[in-house]
Amino acid sequence: MLGIQINSFEVKNFFVQRIGKSSFVWRGIEFLQGLSYTFNYWLYYGNNLIKRKTSITEINIEFVSYCNLRCKLCSLDHEKTKVRMSPDTLSHFFNEFLNDNRFKSVKTIHLYNAGEVLLHPKLEEMLSIIRKYKEKAAKEKKHFPKIALLTNAAILDEENSIILIRSGVLDHIRFSMDGGNKEKFEEMRLRAKWDVFVKNISTFCELNNKSETPIPTGIITLVEYENKLHTKWMSDEFKKLLNMVDGYELRYAHNWGGDVEIEELKNRNKKAYKVGCSLLMHQLVLLPNGDITVCCADLNSKGVIGNILKEDLFTIYKKPQRLEMLHKFMKGKKKEIDLCKDCETF
């Protein structure tokens, strides 16, 4: 039997674009999300199935803890210690992951979280490690998740493009491109230069299209609340880039667990009554030092529950701290969870 997963980002964007922000409609959506969460809670945490399979469908791996940009809608603390994941830590994770059948439920491994993955000085070596385990899984006829990467593309020059394309690792790559025009892009993504971004994306797509096995590409665009989630109002040069990739997703910003103040969300009910969180139910994040946190919205490691260099991944998955958070969400007690109480909603 499989659990039910309703991706909150996808559901939210779909309905915002089609039916607006009716409170009645959103109550209905939240009810369905709560129903999904309740089903998965009892499936994975209310009986013995927890011993055979996990509820985790996504794992984020953060190669580095720091970023070269200073995006105004990001909560990353740029004063915290800068850490890079070692090849040994990455190998340790994949060796354990591949040999634990309880994580066969993982469909995607994302090579990003708060830090910019292309800043890792041993990028090529890190990708080669993943390729080794991907080939090992294929040889042993074991399940291996899709590998996805998200980059701000600020240093996605020809050399890095070639490394990514030739790695044989990526099943999908997406680029962050906020705003809707050059001016808004540089205003929202501080330190990013539009002309450099355009050149890098164009170069990557050109090289990728010439490859024998092109990597599917996409763009994620944050749109300010004053604008609609469509492209009609965007500049021609912005739309040209959107149409250069295989697909794109337009989003409104969220508040990163309450760490980013967004005027339009300031007076919004934080849904203290809400049942469930799809991120907490279905996700874990591996940080550069081996720590595991419970959610990709936790950019500053407030929700760390263990370290894979000290404990196995399944033990961390079952940690009392995480189980208690899941239980409180089940009871509609979101306001009692320090990490989650100010989060807009997932």
Side-chain angles (χ1 to χ4, degrees), residues 132-333:
K132 179 183 75 172
Y133 284 99
K134 193 172 187 176
E135 292 173 345
K136 185 174 187 289
K139 184 177 181 180
E140 298 176 0
K141 297 183 179 180
K142 290 184 176 180
H143 164 72
F144 197 85
K146 298 292 185 183
I147 303 294
L149 185 146
L150 175 67
T151 174
N152 62 39
I155 58 172
L156 185 63
D157 55 16
E158 183 173 345
E159 180 181 354
N160 280 328
S161 294
I162 291 172
I163 288 174
L164 295 179
I165 293 167
R166 291 182 179 175
S167 69
V169 167
L170 302 182
D171 297 293
H172 194 238
I173 184 170
R174 292 189 293 181
F175 315 110
S176 295
M177 186 177 81
D178 302 336
N181 56 52
K182 174 181 178 178
E183 292 71 28
K184 276 295 178 183
F185 173 86
E186 293 186 347
E187 177 187 326
M188 295 174 71
R189 305 189 68 76
L190 300 178
R191 294 190 178 182
K193 300 300 180 185
W194 173 255
D195 293 340
V196 173
F197 182 86
V198 171
K199 179 182 178 182
N200 289 348
I201 299 301
S202 300
T203 298
F204 180 90
C205 289
E206 181 181 352
L207 293 170
N208 189 46
N209 290 336
K210 292 178 181 177
S211 170
E212 292 183 6
T213 54
I215 304 167
T217 55
I219 285 176
I220 295 179
T221 295
L222 287 184
V223 174
E224 293 186 317
Y225 279 84
E226 63 193 53
N227 296 310
K228 300 292 185 181
L229 287 180
H230 57 62
T231 62
K232 294 179 182 178
W233 56 272
M234 295 180 178
S235 70
D236 289 341
E237 57 183 352
F238 202 92
K239 287 187 284 188
K240 181 179 179 181
L241 276 189
L242 289 177
N243 292 323
M244 194 178 291
V245 298
D246 298 314
Y248 58 85
E249 179 182 350
L250 309 181
R251 296 179 179 176
Y252 289 125
H254 61 85
N255 67 359
W256 292 104
D259 286 345
V260 174
E261 188 173 291
I262 299 174
E263 188 65 31
E264 289 81 1
L265 302 179
K266 191 175 293 185
N267 298 318
R268 182 176 293 187
N269 189 321
K270 297 297 189 298
K271 299 180 175 62
Y273 56 83
K274 188 174 184 288
V275 173
C277 171
S278 62
L279 296 186
L280 180 63
M281 175 63 70
H282 297 294
Q283 190 179 77
L284 290 173
V285 180
L286 172 62
L287 301 177
N289 64 351
D291 281 347
I292 297 286
T293 185
V294 296
C295 171
C296 66
D298 175 29
L299 298 192
N300 296 307
S301 312
K302 298 177 183 178
V304 170
I305 55 172
N307 188 293
I308 62 164
L309 302 179
K310 301 175 182 178
E311 305 168 280
D312 66 82
L313 189 60
F314 191 73
T315 296
I316 296 172
Y317 164 81
K318 293 196 301 179
K319 277 296 187 74
Q321 305 99 297
R322 181 172 177 274
L323 297 181
E324 180 65 17
M325 294 171 71
L326 287 160
H327 181 71
K328 286 183 176 178
F329 260 115
M330 179 65 190
K331 298 298 183 181
K333 296 181 179 180

Side-chain angles (χ1 to χ4, degrees), residues 35-225:
L35 210 59
S36 168
Y37 183 90
T38 300
F39 177 83
N40 282 294
Y41 182 85
W42 289 115
L43 177 64
Y44 294 106
Y45 303 97
N47 55 47
N48 290 331
L49 281 180
I50 189 174
K51 297 178 181 178
R52 305 204 319 253
K53 190 178 180 182
T54 73
S55 66
I56 304 302
T57 60
E58 296 181 330
I59 294 178
N60 285 30
I61 299 180
E62 183 176 83
F63 279 14
V64 301
S65 66
Y66 49 92
C67 186
N68 47 342
L69 302 188
R70 298 294 184 268
C71 300
K72 72 175 188 177
L73 295 176
C74 177
S75 67
L76 179 60
D77 178 6
H78 296 285
E79 299 300 319
K80 71 178 185 179
T81 303
K82 293 177 172 56
V83 185
R84 300 166 179 167
M85 182 175 289
S86 71
D88 287 344
T89 297
L90 187 64
S91 294
H92 179 93
F93 166 80
F94 272 104
N95 185 59
E96 182 181 320
F97 174 82
L98 198 61
N99 289 296
D100 192 333
N101 288 330
R102 292 168 295 192
F103 286 96
K104 287 195 298 184
S105 55
V106 176
K107 299 175 183 177
T108 308
I109 289 179
H110 301 282
L111 302 184
Y112 59 86
N113 198 52
E116 168 52 47
V117 62
L118 299 187
L119 292 174
H120 198 289
K122 296 181 178 180
L123 177 63
E124 195 166 5
E125 180 180 352
M126 298 291 275
L127 293 173
S128 70
I129 289 170
I130 300 175
R131 180 172 181 170
K132 179 183 75 172
Y133 284 99
K134 193 172 187 176
E135 292 173 345
K136 185 174 187 289
K139 184 177 181 180
E140 298 176 0
K141 297 183 179 180
K142 290 184 176 180
H143 164 72
F144 197 85
K146 298 292 185 183
I147 303 294
L149 185 146
L150 175 67
T151 174
N152 62 39
I155 58 172
L156 185 63
D157 55 16
E158 183 173 345
E159 180 181 354
N160 280 328
S161 294
I162 291 172
I163 288 174
L164 295 179
I165 293 167
R166 291 182 179 175
S167 69
V169 167
L170 302 182
D171 297 293
H172 194 238
I173 184 170
R174 292 189 293 181
F175 315 110
S176 295
M177 186 177 81
D178 302 336
N181 56 52
K182 174 181 178 178
E183 292 71 28
K184 276 295 178 183
F185 173 86
E186 293 186 347
E187 177 187 326
M188 295 174 71
R189 305 189 68 76
L190 300 178
R191 294 190 178 182
K193 300 300 180 185
W194 173 255
D195 293 340
V196 173
F197 182 86
V198 171
K199 179 182 178 182
N200 289 348
I201 299 301
S202 300
T203 298
F204 180 90
C205 289
E206 181 181 352
L207 293 170
N208 189 46
N209 290 336
K210 292 178 181 177
S211 170
E212 292 183 6
T213 54
I215 304 167
T217 55
I219 285 176
I220 295 179
T221 295
L222 287 184
V223 174
E224 293 186 317
Y225 279 84

Side-chain angles (χ1 to χ4, degrees), residues 5-22:
Q5 182 177 4
I6 296 180
N7 185 297
S8 296
F9 275 129
E10 293 176 1
V11 169
K12 183 174 182 179
N13 288 328
F14 178 87
F15 280 100
V16 164
Q17 292 181 67
R18 288 160 179 80
I19 59 178
K21 302 178 181 179
S22 163

